[in-house]
Amino acid sequence: MRGEGHPMARIIIYSALALFLVFTGYRMLNEGRPSLGTLRDMASAPFTPKQTHPFTLTDHNGQKVSDKSFRGQFLLVFFGYTHCPDVCPTGLLVMSQAMDLLGADAARVTPLFITVDPARDGPEQLKDYVANFHQRLVGLTGSEAQIEDAAKAYNARYVRLDSEDGDKENYFMGHTATTYLTGPDGVALTSFGHETSPEDMAAEIRKFL
């Protein structure tokens, strides 16, 4: 999966994201769910320098992993889900392009995609999904409690948005659109907003390598 960095393309993507958030927020306000303000806060969760909390998950090959499994590597982490219509593909594409821009230095960075929708995103689903982006991207899933622990470790947030027709299988997940960077010791280094370009992300990562 590859995209173009043309300014007009980014404008179209961000406009679509804004409309999605406004529409979703309107629905939530009228259905007694979290407000649009909550969604906005959720979309950009700042990442302050601190030691992240322990977590245990399952990777897209069905292997159990924990935060300690990645010690010695920089981690580039994005939370989302495979049914995501726009935010996740865009965020993972930027992450993948940034990894390519790092060249040989990318070997020191492990990109992670942690699902916030474990009910639909098992290892097999994640394996097919991450293959669309970068060859080193690792998909992670787990129980609801394990996902909650991982999200807390990164100050990420998410909420289920049920469909208006009551179909329990047809729903969206509102979630943080931030990409997080941690160091080889598990300490948070910085975070990137959804508007960050691949070039800016790669340049910022290089400062820590």
Side-chain angles (χ1 to χ4, degrees), residues 54-74:
F55 64 82
T56 301
L57 296 168
T58 302
D59 70 16
H60 64 250
N61 291 313
Q63 301 298 312
K64 297 292 184 183
V65 299
S66 71
D67 56 305
K68 293 180 180 179
S69 303
F70 302 103
R71 288 291 187 264
Q73 280 277 300
F74 289 86

Side-chain angles (χ1 to χ4, degrees), residues 81-199:
Y81 65 116
T82 63
H83 287 70
C84 184
D86 44 23
V87 177
C88 298
T90 302
L92 292 176
L93 181 60
V94 170
M95 178 192 290
S96 298
Q97 292 176 334
M99 288 288 291
D100 288 341
L101 289 169
L102 287 173
D105 286 335
R108 301 176 60 191
V109 182
T110 297
L112 303 180
F113 175 63
I114 302 178
T115 183
V116 295
D117 186 17
R120 293 185 294 189
D121 290 344
E124 291 185 5
Q125 289 77 17
L126 286 174
K127 188 170 186 175
D128 289 339
Y129 189 72
V130 299
N132 292 312
F133 297 96
H134 196 273
Q135 65 271 22
R136 298 195 62 237
L137 180 61
V138 178
L140 296 175
T141 187
S143 67
E144 291 187 6
Q146 288 174 325
I147 298 299
E148 287 179 8
D149 286 344
K152 288 177 182 177
Y154 285 88
N155 195 32
R157 306 169 191 172
Y158 58 94
V159 63
R160 174 171 167 152
L161 309 171
D162 291 322
S163 64
E164 295 178 346
D165 60 12
D167 184 353
K168 295 186 180 300
E169 299 301 320
N170 181 26
Y171 58 89
F172 291 101
M173 297 295 294
H175 62 87
T176 298
T178 302
T179 301
Y180 306 95
L181 178 68
T182 62
D185 54 359
V187 173
L189 298 176
T190 190
S191 59
F192 305 96
H194 195 65
E195 74 287 348
T196 304
S197 69
E199 293 79 11

